Amino acid sequence: DQKATVGLKIGQAWHPMAADHPHLFSLEVGAPFGPFSRTPLVQMDANLGNNWVVSAAAIWQMQYQSTGPVGGSAIYMKYGMTPEMYAALAYKTNGFLLRAGVDVVSIKPRVLGEVDGKVVKVSDRKTSVLGYLYTQYTYKKFAVKAKTTFGEGGEHMNLMSGYAKIGENPDGSWNYASMRNSSSWLSLSYGKKWQGVLFLGYVKNLGLAKEASGPLAKGDVYFCGNGFSNINQMYRINPQVIYNIGKLNVGLEYQWTSVQYGKYDDGKLNARALADKDLHWIGNHRVNMMVKYNF
């Protein structure tokens, strides 16, 4: 009685690693505690019977971009001539869903270098692998969702991560190492007409996957454009009350976000691209009211 079906999506859509949203009605949907990106892609979702789903996608960059020597830009993927690749496996049954996936990005930060004062062609390449685990469960008026990502890079999905130049070669090319990042969130929801929501998020900057030979200059670390490379960790507590009237939603939320920063040591980070001196917390309060109509 079980059938296999295949769906194909082509065009601008949510990045498959960003498609699982917490119970938040604001546009940021929990970023930067989870991936956030809409991008051109070709995605296939194959339903193998009633419980299993296999997904795969080839992705390009447009609005949300990798960072590098000239800042955030899609030229690094253009230089690399390699699409971003994604694959995932999901299991679903009786209100329960579990999905695990992996994303691979391979870019060329530069195509021209310098040797003895002469401009030469180079073949710089940086490849990063990012994995995630997502789960959700719904029972009557109660619902819970949770997601965690761990791996390298992800700055093009607004994760607090990036990569660094850790060395130079005689032929003018550079060596790179990706920063590792752990980002997680938990979302709890209860109610239908009146809905209470609690969102909890946590991010930890784990530094470079490969240690450099010495301290790194600030300019040699390419970090997400929405953050700063001296971020060590951060968390958010976000309760909400939402009133749902058919397709109309009226919500009120409070956010407490706290970020731990470190001090640059004479403009440099340590060999893991971390600011580990003078660690201090800075908190931010935010109250947001929003009216949304769904159609």
Side-chain angles (χ1 to χ4, degrees):
D1 296 330
Q2 298 185 9
K3 296 181 180 179
T5 60
V6 176
L8 185 64
K9 183 189 301 180
I10 303 175
Q12 178 90 352
W14 283 107
H15 191 294
M17 288 195 70
D20 300 310
H21 297 158
H23 302 96
L24 297 178
F25 63 92
S26 55
L27 176 63
E28 67 188 24
V29 290
F33 300 91
F36 184 98
S37 172
R38 289 183 62 83
T39 188
L41 55 76
V42 176
Q43 181 175 342
M44 179 211 70
D45 298 299
N47 293 274
L48 307 179
N50 297 328
N51 303 110
W52 294 95
V53 181
V54 176
S55 302
I59 304 162
W60 204 250
Q61 292 183 8
M62 188 172 69
Q63 180 182 358
Y64 300 94
Q65 306 159 341
S66 295
T67 188
V70 297
S73 177
I75 62 172
Y76 312 122
M77 179 162 280
K78 176 183 175 182
Y79 290 160
M81 297 186 292
T82 305
E84 181 179 349
M85 304 303 295
Y86 166 88
L89 177 66
Y91 176 79
K92 55 183 181 179
T93 180
N94 299 326
F96 173 78
L97 171 66
L98 178 65
R99 180 184 293 114
V102 64
D103 187 79
V104 180
V105 181
S106 186
I107 60 174
K108 284 188 175 183
R110 301 184 313 150
V111 292
L112 296 176
E114 187 175 311
V115 177
D116 298 329
K118 297 181 180 180
V119 176
V120 296
K121 290 185 178 181
V122 294
S123 297
D124 294 13
R125 183 173 288 274
K126 194 276 298 184
T127 302
S128 60
V129 180
L130 184 68
Y132 81 99
L133 186 65
Y134 171 79
T135 187
Q136 69 178 45
Y137 177 72
T138 303
Y139 179 74
K140 295 182 179 180
K141 295 183 179 182
F142 173 75
V144 58
K145 298 180 180 180
K147 189 173 188 176
T148 184
T149 63
F150 175 81
E152 304 171 353
E155 76 279 359
H156 64 296
M157 293 183 280
N158 286 286
L159 295 178
M160 294 295 100
S161 191
Y163 62 100
K165 167 195 170 186
I166 61 171
E168 299 183 5
N169 300 312
D171 63 356
S173 63
W174 293 353
N175 297 321
Y176 304 92
S178 294
M179 300 188 77
R180 297 175 301 158
N181 171 277
S182 175
S183 301
S184 304
W185 57 257
L186 172 68
S187 173
L188 303 170
S189 172
Y190 183 81
K192 294 296 183 182
K193 189 171 185 179
W194 282 97
Q195 184 181 6
V197 173
L198 177 63
F199 173 87
L200 304 172
Y202 179 74
V203 168
K204 177 64 176 176
N205 182 359
L206 299 170
L208 296 179
K210 181 180 179 181
E211 187 171 315
S213 58
L216 292 164
K218 184 179 177 180
D220 289 335
V221 179
Y222 311 119
F223 202 76
C224 174
N226 291 327
F228 299 91
S229 57
N230 61 330
I231 290 177
N232 189 284
Q233 58 185 324
M234 62 189 297
Y235 69 85
R236 175 176 295 167
I237 302 173
N238 183 189
Q240 303 171 75
V241 177
I242 305 170
Y243 183 58
N244 301 302
I245 314 170
K247 295 183 178 181
L248 182 68
N249 315 125
V250 180
L252 179 67
E253 71 171 1
Y254 164 72
Q255 280 188 8
W256 165 253
T257 304
S258 189
V259 184
Q260 186 186 49
Y261 293 94
K263 181 181 178 181
Y264 292 105
D265 187 7
D266 194 26
K268 295 183 178 181
L269 300 168
N270 67 19
R272 286 286 185 184
L274 292 172
D276 56 354
K277 294 185 177 181
D278 191 23
L279 295 175
H280 57 283
W281 289 92
I282 296 179
N284 178 69
H285 301 273
R286 179 187 179 193
V287 177
N288 180 43
M289 183 177 181
M290 183 172 176
V291 179
K292 181 170 65 174
Y293 182 76
N294 303 282
F295 59 91

